[in-house]
Amino acid sequence: MTLPKPSLEDIEIRLLLQGVYEYYGYDFRNYALSSIKRRILGFMHLEGLANISALQERLLHNRDNLERFLLALTVNVTSMFRDPSFYNTFRTQVIPFLQTYPFIRIWHAGCSTGEEVYSMAILLEEEGLYHRCRIYATDTNEKVLQNAKSGIFSLKLMQEYTHLYLKAGGKRSFSEYYTAAYDNAIFRASLRENIVFAQHNLATDSSFNEFNVILCRNVLIYFNQILQKRVHELFYNSLCTFGILGLGRQESIRFTPYEQQYEEIVRGEKLYRKARARGHEEALRHRDFNHN
């Protein structure tokens, strides 16, 4: 069977991403081609560039253009208490399990501008667990991490976020968690006390701790199968036995080498418990077999 010949544009995109990786260390080579192509073309339009060769020239010869390019490539669509049933399930099904631990480590991978990180901090505080938690909020993009660290969001979003908070089982008045200042909502500094914001690239970086919970929601959908498998292996190896993995609504552990190593907590809510420590070598053999 003969594979279709890639278009010249696709070849240029792969060369561009390879150059960005080799020169700057940012790895987008295994992002889903259709998605990243759409974002690259959109960036070129905004920059007034006629072709990808011109973009490559601009990026590789002037680092000042890199930050805008990285912002264009990373998807930062998020909100507080996104998919409120997910948080409701976490509150009712996961919190009782976490209460059995003296100290809880949570990794929020691909945290973007931080709305979901603050959502989890609020939930944990309401359940009396925040004081013994450490949340590691990571993203590949330094600019969005700076926004997340500030804890400042648009005031006009608070009505929508209040609605989602209540649907997620919120127990207080949502306005207790922020102060309105002009057009901004400034969230309480106490919510950041146990959050560590740091750069981490899921495409290239390794694990940095063992976690009770890993949340990576609506990130894997932008990766191709090779990168998805790498990230699932990273998460599996980073979770403690019986640790919790939370994914986005359109994401799943199905068809990964680790599918049999988790049990779904509530059907459809994309919360999984690492069921057993044994079987890791079997999973790796399964992965290697699929690669052959």
Side-chain angles (χ1 to χ4, degrees), residues 56-215:
Q56 182 170 294
E57 170 77 16
R58 179 170 292 188
L59 287 176
L60 298 184
H61 291 272
N62 189 342
R63 188 185 181 96
D64 293 341
N65 297 309
L66 181 66
E67 185 174 292
R68 294 197 311 279
F69 180 69
L70 295 178
L71 283 172
L73 258 59
T74 52
V75 178
N76 299 304
V77 178
T78 185
S79 73
M80 300 195 78
F81 295 97
R82 186 179 189 180
D83 301 324
S85 63
F86 175 91
Y87 288 92
N88 242 324
T89 302
F90 194 97
R91 192 186 293 267
T92 59
Q93 302 298 320
V94 177
I95 288 296
F97 167 72
L98 295 181
Q99 288 171 336
T100 65
Y101 286 92
F103 188 76
I104 303 156
R105 285 187 292 269
I106 299 173
W107 179 13
H108 202 304
C111 70
S112 188
T113 45
E115 284 88 337
E116 292 191 64
V117 180
Y118 287 94
S119 301
M120 184 55 62
I122 289 170
L123 188 156
L124 291 166
E125 181 174 292
E126 291 185 351
E127 297 301 327
L129 283 181
Y130 187 62
H131 67 285
R132 49 185 162 120
C133 290
R134 179 65 53 86
I135 302 176
Y136 297 86
T138 67
D139 200 278
T140 189
N141 193 306
E142 178 63 27
K143 176 67 174 177
V144 298
L145 282 172
Q146 291 300 325
N147 291 341
K149 287 178 186 178
S150 72
I152 300 174
F153 304 103
S154 173
L155 186 62
K156 65 183 180 182
L157 295 172
M158 292 306 112
Q159 183 175 353
E160 176 191 352
Y161 289 174
T162 298
H163 175 67
L164 293 172
Y165 163 76
L166 293 173
K167 289 186 68 176
K171 297 181 176 180
R172 302 176 188 170
S173 170
F174 187 61
S175 60
E176 293 180 24
Y177 293 107
Y178 65 87
T179 300
Y182 300 101
D183 295 328
N184 295 319
I186 305 171
F187 277 75
R188 283 178 8 203
S190 60
L191 291 173
R192 294 192 296 277
E193 288 179 355
N194 294 342
I195 303 175
V196 177
F197 293 98
Q199 272 190 295
H200 183 278
N201 191 332
L202 290 171
T204 56
D205 296 338
S206 58
S207 179
F208 54 94
N209 214 323
E210 184 178 65
F211 300 94
N212 304 97
V213 178
I214 295 177
L215 302 172

Side-chain angles (χ1 to χ4, degrees), residues 14-26:
R14 290 191 177 98
L15 289 172
L16 170 67
L17 297 180
Q18 183 68 30
V20 169
Y21 170 65
E22 292 188 14
Y23 197 63
Y24 295 117
Y26 291 96

